[in-house]
Amino acid sequence: MTPVELSRTVLRAVRRAVDEGELSVVVPVRAVVTPPGPGGCGDYATNIALQLARPAGRPARQVAEILRPHLTRSEGVADVAITGPGFLNIRLGGGAGASLVREIQRRRDAYGHGDILAGQIVPLRVPYDIRAEVVADTLVRIVATQGGRAEVHHIHIHRSCAEPAGTDLSRAEPAGTDLPQAKTAGTDPSPAEPPRTNAPQADPARPHRLHRPRPQITTLRPTPAPEDPTPLGPDAARWALLHPASHDRPRISADHLLQRESNPLFRVRYAHARTRALTRNAAALGCTGDPGDVPEDVPGGGELVGALAGYPAVLTQAALHRAPDRLARHLVTTADALLAFQHTVLPLGDEKPSAAHRARLALAEAAGTVLAGGLSLLGISAPDYL
């Protein structure tokens, strides 16, 4: 069961509770399903009970108790536990990992893409600074994965009004602020072109356009790099600027070039290369990937399934919060799980390839797809050999 399918399952449980008169609420359009947070358990968690508590006129935990049996009886759900103020923690039954792998195989690079920003224009204002340019360039791609269209506008920051380093400088400006001429990230403005504003133009044939709300403007001012990162090369330079949070000062160091376990960029790219090597080595054994269940006691298996399942939510949050660092850190989590899992994929010694090996290979290949897609969104290459 994929996160999307589980979200529908949660909504069906709410609808059954409403139909049976246990709850008096309007069934929401969407139920958020994510990997469990601290204190949680199982494969996924949802805050649907907290969302419905106020309209239902009941404590969230009581709403969770009402929804729990409906969820437990749902196909593919093995168990449901309630934690905290009313979070529903869901443990899936057999086939959860296989369904997730099939979803990744089907969607390939589009896995994790959504429509939460469908039809929206996201104006991004950035100063003429290399880190701000790279963040904006990356956000153009990340916002597009959620159906939106980011437009980059450059602004001049005077030294007298510059904000101190270390301050959280990624913030939203009031809607309706005039923007400089829109352009692609990394290009210089053309002085011959007049600036464009957001002022609406009268259209007698379509008067409703006069009242259309203006898009919210986001000013991106991440803490600048202490020195020029370009000597690191394009991949390491982008990682050095994107991996830290916006308010953290990036570290420009040759450590980003080291092929060592201590280098997160190396681990992510090496994990991707390992998935490609596993496919090649399996082919030499006459083995191909076939989605199936991976037992929970396989080292790294549960963590890898959880990381892959959480990828869509991370992409959504990276787009909504204009935070590409969330994607970069999740790729490190995925890579670490894959590197712990890789040793279980292929037969050892005189073993013959079995259904278990084919299921593990399919899971590893799905991880490679996600790692390659995430690196591409960050503008970083994903080599097959490393």
Side-chain angles (χ1 to χ4, degrees):
M1 185 181 297
T2 66
V4 173
E5 292 169 341
L6 183 56
S7 177
R8 297 192 190 110
T9 299
V10 172
L11 292 179
R12 283 195 293 269
V14 174
R15 190 170 294 110
R16 284 195 295 269
V18 171
D19 291 343
E20 295 178 14
E22 297 173 290
L23 287 176
S24 180
V25 295
V26 176
V27 179
V29 177
R30 181 169 174 261
V32 177
V33 175
T34 62
C41 58
D43 300 303
Y44 295 98
T46 176
N47 66 347
I48 190 70
L50 284 76
Q51 180 182 341
L52 297 177
R54 186 169 182 176
R58 297 169 180 261
R61 197 167 183 92
Q62 190 178 110
V63 175
E65 291 287 359
I66 292 172
L67 295 177
R68 180 180 178 181
H70 294 287
L71 270 174
T72 304
R73 291 194 295 267
S74 300
E75 183 179 356
V77 174
D79 187 36
V80 179
I82 300 173
T83 59
F87 291 102
L88 287 160
N89 294 257
I90 304 167
R91 183 169 63 85
L92 300 179
S99 180
L100 175 65
V101 171
R102 291 191 190 96
E103 176 74 3
I104 296 173
Q105 288 180 339
R106 182 179 67 84
R107 301 198 65 188
R108 302 296 301 172
D109 291 343
Y111 173 67
H113 293 203
D115 58 1
I116 197 169
L117 295 176
Q120 295 187 33
I121 296 176
V122 179
L124 303 174
R125 294 172 22 135
V126 298
Y128 289 94
D129 168 75
I130 188 168
R131 189 182 185 195
E133 295 272 7
V134 170
V135 169
D137 173 70
T138 304
L139 284 174
V140 168
R141 289 187 290 274
I142 292 177
V143 167
T145 68
Q146 304 305 309
R149 179 165 64 88
E151 293 183 347
V152 180
H153 308 263
H154 283 84
I155 56 176
H156 289 280
I157 303 298
H158 298 289
R159 187 179 299 273
S160 60
C161 62
E163 303 188 45
T167 305
D168 186 2
L169 301 176
S170 180
R171 65 181 188 272
E173 298 288 344
T177 304
D178 290 343
L179 294 175
Q181 179 67 30
K183 60 188 183 309
T184 304
T187 62
D188 293 329
S190 173
E193 297 178 352
R196 187 179 69 184
T197 71
N198 282 340
Q201 302 297 318
D203 185 351
R206 298 181 179 179
H208 63 279
R209 285 189 174 181
L210 297 177
H211 305 289
R212 179 174 297 175
R214 295 169 179 172
Q216 187 183 51
I217 301 167
T218 301
T219 299
L220 300 172
R221 297 182 194 170
T223 302
E227 57 186 286
D228 182 10
T230 54
L232 296 176
D235 289 333
R238 291 186 72 92
W239 182 267
L241 298 176
L242 293 171
H243 182 255
S246 177
H247 56 271
D248 291 333
R249 184 175 296 277
R251 180 175 53 87
I252 307 303
S253 164
D255 290 346
H256 294 295
L257 302 174
L258 297 177
Q259 295 193 7
R260 293 180 182 173
E261 187 178 349
S262 59
N263 179 4
L265 173 59
F266 170 71
R267 295 207 305 275
V268 172
R269 299 175 82 213
Y270 177 67
H272 171 265
R274 286 300 304 150
T275 66
R276 297 297 187 256
L278 289 171
T279 298
R280 294 191 298 269
N281 294 338
L285 298 173
C287 179
T288 57
D290 184 25
D293 291 336
V294 175
E296 294 183 1
D297 58 350
V298 174
E303 292 82 359
L304 185 55
V305 170
L308 298 182
Y311 180 74
V314 169
L315 268 189
T316 299
Q317 293 303 310
L320 292 178
H321 295 280
R322 322 292 190 247
D325 56 288
R326 297 191 181 202
L327 172 59
R329 290 195 296 272
H330 189 76
L331 292 181
V332 176
T333 299
T334 305
D336 289 345
L338 183 281
L339 292 175
F341 173 74
Q342 62 166 329
H343 307 290
T344 70
V345 173
L346 298 180
L348 298 176
D350 295 331
E351 277 187 291
K352 299 296 183 183
S354 65
H357 294 115
R358 289 191 288 273
R360 295 171 193 174
L361 176 61
L363 179 57
E365 290 173 336
T369 298
V370 169
L371 290 170
L375 285 171
S376 177
L377 290 174
L378 297 178
I380 297 174
S381 64
D384 287 352
Y385 296 88
L386 195 62

